[in-house]
Amino acid sequence: MKTIGTPFAMKGLTLKNRTVMAPMCQYSVDKEDGIPNDWHYVHYVSRAVGGTGLIIMEMTSVTPEGRITNQDLGLWDDNQIPAYQRIVSEVHKYGAKIGIQIAHAGRKAEDALQPVGPSNLGGEALPEETKNGSLKQPRALKLNEIQEIIQQFKEAARRAVAAGFDTIELHGAHGYLLHQFMSPSINNRTDEYGQDLSKFGVEVIRSVKSVMPEDMPLILRISAIEYIDGGYGLDHSLQIAEQFKEAGVDIFHVSTGGEGIPGSLKPGNYPGYQVPLARAFKEKFGLPVIAVGMLSTPQVAEAALSNGDADLVAVARGMLNDPYWSLHAIKEITRKVTPPFQYARSIQ
């Protein structure tokens, strides 16, 4: 039976347990050059010391203009690679594996002089995580610009492989560019990228897979439903995800929303509220899924695994609160844990 402390394997990725540190932006690149600094080094390595099975580094932009803010990470230049290598190497010393989430913010690029998106829809208020509470009016991408961004994803993936990451996650959720293209409420294009809402995502996936090792799994984070009035539901995301699976996605990381202020449908405010959607993806595609969303209570995380709803559990705020969340959760569930020997006197 799957339980929080048991190993997980997919292609060439083997995890010592089923805990995942969900990607969370730190907004801490003070030099605005996209390069991780000592804050990021300590932040991620401490979670490896804390027993996490898989760490997914925060949303990292494929281009300077695609950052949410200028303080975000980037992988648009080979000169950025060494700083990531330093983090990856140290994380591996503690038996953890590490991936990186690459993305383009699209119309949610708050510091861009002119945000871009599939269409010029935007400028409205978005959820409270936005720095200014509202967004600038985006400009619709031209066809040649779409191709440039697809190439930028490919080059960022190449750099991630060179940096030694164990897996790559594409951010197709929370209202960022991949999500924008697949959303009928945001994408009103009349060309091929509007007629087929999966096309942009499929082309990004294929381009990224072309530079990844055969045994490296590709993760896609997806918003299974939207919360804006008129937003899409589960049937739509499953239909789009079918195309993404065929293009090469190996693992789905199932979240929700982020595209705008919720309307009559509100996100749940209770533990495990997104878990049924993860189960729907698992049942539909037979691929491993990562459940996420208020899973910080070890018993809730364990239930998602032992009930067969998910293969991995991602924890965000819980790991901000406690770098050793994985060790503590595994100990609480299994009564047996192997911490670094330096901490054995207090955690065993």
Side-chain angles (χ1 to χ4, degrees):
M1 184 179 72
K2 290 179 295 187
T3 187
I4 197 166
T6 57
F8 168 86
M10 174 65 179
K11 290 189 170 180
L13 177 68
T14 300
L15 308 179
K16 63 182 178 181
N17 60 55
R18 294 175 183 261
T19 66
V20 178
M21 179 184 184
M24 294 170 282
C25 288
Q26 297 296 290
Y27 307 109
S28 296
V29 184
D30 298 328
K31 294 183 179 180
E32 300 188 359
D33 56 5
I35 298 175
N37 53 35
D38 284 348
W39 172 267
H40 302 91
Y41 180 85
V42 172
H43 176 63
Y44 291 111
V45 173
S46 64
R47 273 68 185 178
V49 172
T52 307
L54 174 64
I55 294 164
I56 305 179
M57 284 189 71
E58 64 204 78
M59 179 171 162
T60 301
S61 182
V62 302
T63 176
E65 299 79 17
R67 291 174 288 180
I68 304 171
T69 76
N70 290 340
Q71 289 74 43
D72 292 331
L73 293 179
L75 254 183
W76 60 75
D77 190 294
D78 286 359
N79 291 326
Q80 296 166 325
I81 295 174
Y84 291 101
Q85 288 175 321
R86 175 179 177 238
I87 294 172
V88 170
S89 176
E90 195 68 17
V91 162
H92 284 163
K93 290 180 182 178
Y94 301 98
K97 298 299 174 66
I98 183 168
I100 188 167
Q101 184 188 75
I102 58 175
H104 189 297
R107 70 177 191 159
K108 290 182 76 174
E110 298 181 41
D111 287 342
L113 294 177
Q114 175 64 78
V116 295
S119 64
N120 63 0
L121 297 177
E124 70 274 19
L126 279 176
E128 64 278 358
E129 71 265 14
T130 55
K131 189 166 63 176
N132 301 313
S134 62
L135 299 175
K136 302 170 187 173
Q137 188 75 25
R139 175 180 62 79
L141 287 161
K142 301 174 183 177
L143 284 173
N144 67 303
E145 292 174 321
I146 291 174
Q147 296 306 311
E148 289 173 4
I149 290 175
I150 293 169
Q151 182 66 24
Q152 288 165 342
F153 270 95
K154 178 179 178 179
E155 288 301 305
R158 176 187 63 78
R159 295 182 185 104
V161 172
F165 285 100
D166 301 294
T167 184
I168 294 171
E169 177 172 282
L170 295 174
H171 201 345
H174 302 167
Y176 299 112
L177 190 61
L178 266 73
H179 181 176
Q180 291 164 28
F181 268 92
M182 64 180 278
S183 173
S185 297
I186 300 172
N187 182 356
N188 66 358
R189 299 179 73 96
T190 57
D191 63 10
E192 55 193 315
Y193 288 97
Q195 294 165 3
D196 179 358
L197 298 181
S198 71
K199 182 175 175 62
F200 178 70
V202 164
E203 292 181 355
V204 168
I205 291 163
R206 288 175 177 165
S207 69
V208 165
K209 292 283 283 192
S210 73
V211 295
M212 292 173 62
E214 286 279 339
D215 65 345
M216 179 185 285
L218 176 65
I219 305 170
L220 176 78
R221 199 173 211 194
I222 189 168
S223 284
I225 60 173
E226 294 182 327
Y227 294 112
I228 57 172
D229 287 333
Y232 67 69
L234 180 61
D235 288 346
H236 177 79
S237 65
L238 290 174
Q239 182 180 7
I240 296 286
E242 182 87 54
Q243 307 305 312
F244 292 167
K245 176 188 175 183
E246 291 181 8
V249 170
D250 298 295
I251 300 172
F252 284 106
H253 188 173
V254 184
S255 188
T256 62
E259 73 292 335
I261 295 290
S264 57
L265 180 65
K266 302 290 192 298
N269 188 28
Y270 52 87
Y273 72 98
Q274 294 177 152
V275 169
L277 298 167
R279 185 180 186 95
F281 271 73
K282 184 173 176 62
E283 291 178 343
K284 172 74 173 178
F285 301 116
L287 292 176
V289 298
I290 305 171
V292 66
M294 297 186 72
L295 299 178
S296 296
T297 302
Q299 288 80 3
V300 176
E302 173 66 12
L305 295 167
S306 59
N307 289 340
D309 298 320
D311 301 274
L312 298 162
V313 286
V315 174
R317 289 173 176 83
M319 286 203 189
L320 289 184
N321 181 59
D322 179 7
Y324 309 102
W325 185 91
S326 293
L327 287 174
H328 294 151
I330 293 168
K331 180 182 179 182
E332 184 162 343
I333 296 299
T334 69
R335 308 302 179 193
K336 183 190 295 185
V337 71
T338 306
F341 77 89
Q342 298 94 332
Y343 292 167
R345 286 169 291 180
S346 64
I347 296 180
Q348 277 185 334

